[in-house]
Amino acid sequence: MYDATIHGVGSSIPIKRLTNADLEKMVGVSDEWVISRTGIKERRVADHSEATSDFAYKAAIGALEDASLNPSDIDMILVATETPDHILPPVASQIQHRLRCSSIGVMDIHATCIGFLSSLQIAEMYIKAGKHKNILVIGADTLSKLTDYTDPYTSILFGDGAGAVIVSRSEETRGTGILSTLLHADGGAFEALFVPGGGSRHPASDEHKAKMVMDGSKVFKLAVKSMTSGAEEILQNNGLRPEDVDWVIPHQANERIIDAVARNLGMPEHKIIKTIQYYGNSCSATIPISLHQATMDGRIKRGDLILMVAFGAGFVWGSALIRY
């Protein structure tokens, strides 16, 4: 069996900023109210002419450049997204076409905010089994397209963007790269955060809008519990303790959730990567964007042990351990 290593990282975010001051004019919330509840100061949002594939493509180019690879080196493309440009075809096929890769296999992964970790697990299995050499994994979402900007509780949370990694085969097995991944779900809690309209159950209408609705209190409790247990489980499975970890990259949903999970794990604040202040919750993109930011600014270095942990609508949660 081979090692599956993170060979390149890239990200792309919209230029447009939606600040708390902007939201105060739209839904009457104050900067202090938003920050105290979420830790978010601003979020990036796509304009009317931009779609998920635009950011996914730019993030992919960045990851390829970082890995010193050409599109022809890629064997498969996985795109985690809840906001495809169209109901069909998959965003991954659009990325394949824009990159001008050969006729490789592609797929979109529909797993809400753990979509990137789900895609990472798929790439890990393909690489370790020797099926492929280089897999492009992208987390990309434009949640602003699903946000109700008359709702003060959800409009303050969500932003847009994309992050990408190249998962590559290492010919020597040295216990590096993606060490372990795990995924869980509890479908009984799906109504805590969902989009009522737009699917086959209820096509979008005035009665069933294609906008997110959320039970914030329930989501908060489920998120803290599931992210804590997901982190503890993967550490235990690998014979590690929290103090062995160099960096934690949590899903950037709410700073209060991130801080509660860190306290439960006994993780010091300086080990927690946060980007939520300036980008908000961009669903499947938050972890790869945060990874790229932390590698670019020099915090994360080769050889560091990274714990990634996330939760999402579904209700789903997961984690990954990576020796970067």
Side-chain angles (χ1 to χ4, degrees), residues 8-251:
V9 188
S11 66
S12 174
I13 54 175
I15 295 174
K16 182 180 177 182
R17 288 177 165 85
L18 182 65
T19 67
N20 291 344
D22 296 325
L23 285 171
E24 184 172 9
K25 298 173 185 175
M26 297 165 64
V27 291
V29 295
S30 69
D31 179 64
E32 181 182 3
W33 188 85
V34 176
I35 291 176
S36 67
R37 283 160 176 77
T38 69
I40 302 171
K41 298 178 181 179
E42 62 182 43
R43 62 291 292 149
R44 300 296 184 94
V45 296
D47 68 28
H48 70 279
S49 66
E50 294 175 312
T52 297
S53 67
D54 298 319
F55 304 109
Y57 172 72
K58 292 175 184 176
I61 291 295
L64 285 165
E65 291 177 349
D66 188 45
S68 299
L69 293 175
N70 297 313
S72 59
D73 297 315
I74 299 301
D75 303 312
M76 172 174 269
I77 299 173
L78 305 174
V79 177
T81 186
E82 297 306 301
T83 52
D85 295 21
H86 310 281
I87 296 298
L88 55 88
V91 174
S93 65
Q94 296 170 267
I95 302 306
Q96 180 268 335
H97 177 69
R98 292 178 70 171
L99 289 174
R100 300 188 183 278
C101 298
S102 58
S103 55
I104 59 175
V106 304
M107 69 178 85
D108 281 4
I109 308 301
H110 177 52
T112 67
C113 296
I114 72 163
F116 176 76
L117 295 184
S118 301
S119 302
L120 205 63
Q121 185 181 78
I122 294 170
E124 173 197 9
M125 297 298 107
Y126 272 118
I127 294 292
K128 288 184 176 179
K131 177 71 173 179
H132 294 306
K133 290 185 177 180
N134 297 297
I135 299 178
L136 172 60
V137 177
I138 306 170
D141 272 297
T142 48
L143 287 186
S144 64
K145 311 285 187 177
L146 299 180
T147 298
D148 180 357
Y149 286 105
T150 67
D151 178 3
Y153 296 100
T154 55
S155 62
I156 63 178
L157 296 171
F158 300 108
D160 305 331
V165 300
I166 308 293
V167 182
S168 297
R169 180 197 299 180
S170 174
E171 299 297 335
E172 297 180 11
T173 303
R174 294 176 294 180
T176 59
I178 303 171
L179 305 180
S180 182
T181 55
L182 66 85
L183 305 171
H184 291 295
D186 177 7
F190 87 95
E191 287 188 340
L193 175 56
F194 77 121
V195 177
S200 61
R201 176 69 63 188
H202 298 295
S205 65
D206 290 340
E207 182 182 0
H208 300 289
K209 295 182 179 180
K211 300 293 182 182
M212 287 180 285
V213 295
M214 180 179 69
D215 181 338
S217 177
K218 187 172 184 178
V219 168
F220 184 94
K221 294 174 183 177
L222 287 168
V224 172
K225 180 180 179 180
S226 64
M227 288 177 71
T228 300
S229 65
E232 291 174 339
E233 180 183 356
I234 201 166
L235 288 171
Q236 183 177 5
N237 289 350
N238 289 271
L240 296 169
R241 300 168 297 176
E243 53 265 37
D244 296 321
V245 174
D246 295 302
W247 300 102
V248 180
I249 304 181
H251 171 49

Side-chain angles (χ1 to χ4, degrees), residues 4-5 76 89 96 101 178 249 252 260 269 274 294 299 307 312-313:
T5 63
M76 172 174 269
Q96 180 268 335
C101 298
I178 303 171
I249 304 181
Q252 310 286 308
E269 186 175 358
K274 295 181 183 179
R299 279 178 291 173
L307 169 63

